[in-house]
Amino acid sequence: MAHETVFSKIIRREIPADIVYEDEQTLAFRDVSPQAPTHILVIPKEPLVSVADAEEKHAALLGHLMIVAGQIAHSEAILEDGFRLVVNAGRDGGQTVPHLHVHILGGRPLSWPPG
Ligand code: DGP
């Protein structure tokens, strides 16, 4: 179970966010500190801390996050040129908000490997 985070507040509309998609299980909004022309976060409404906390019972939810991310990439018109999905986990992974989130990054060429 996750603790209270800034993302919980965004889900409850206690702080503003530029929301681009919502359904029963997920919310997607633009990153406050965009690292690419398109930078959107897709989060589960269920407060999972990280992908490392996911269990078999979360399989459908994790799959749904990926499907939603692809649909958003389509609606943001970054499908053709390509995009990247990133899930940071833990300290070395660079996770700063302890609520699972999928970054959608696109709109420019992305280098590899990441820093
Ligand atoms: P990560 O480093 O993977 O934990 O990414 C967390 C992202 O969350 C980071 O890119 C910035 C974004 N973020 C943090 N606080 C807020 C906020 O209040 N609003 C929005 N829209 N994004 C936020």
Side-chain angles (χ1 to χ4, degrees):
M1 207 53 180
H3 29 272
E4 179 71 13
T5 69
V6 66
F7 291 173
S8 324
K9 293 188 170 69
I10 288 174
I11 292 168
R12 295 196 302 266
R13 308 302 205 266
E14 290 171 8
I15 63 171
D18 185 355
I19 293 170
V20 299
Y21 177 86
E22 178 171 25
D23 63 30
E24 276 187 13
Q25 301 174 83
T26 66
L27 188 70
F29 50 91
R30 294 190 192 281
D31 195 291
V32 78
S33 175
Q35 303 302 311
T38 298
H39 188 172
I40 291 168
L41 304 173
V42 189
I43 68 171
K45 290 183 175 174
E46 177 179 341
L48 264 177
V49 172
S50 104
V51 72
D53 294 288
E55 300 171 17
E56 198 53 42
K57 66 182 180 186
H58 298 114
L61 175 62
L62 297 188
H64 184 62
L65 288 172
M66 294 293 130
I67 302 290
V68 166
Q71 290 170 344
I72 292 172
H74 183 257
S75 62
E76 291 286 317
I78 55 173
L79 266 193
E80 193 174 330
D81 288 342
F83 62 96
R84 185 173 294 167
L85 303 183
V86 174
V87 180
N88 294 326
R91 186 195 59 199
D92 283 359
Q95 183 176 10
T96 59
V97 179
H99 183 131
L100 175 65
H101 47 283
V102 178
H103 294 259
I104 306 171
L105 294 151
R108 67 169 173 83
L110 299 163
S111 59
W112 191 263

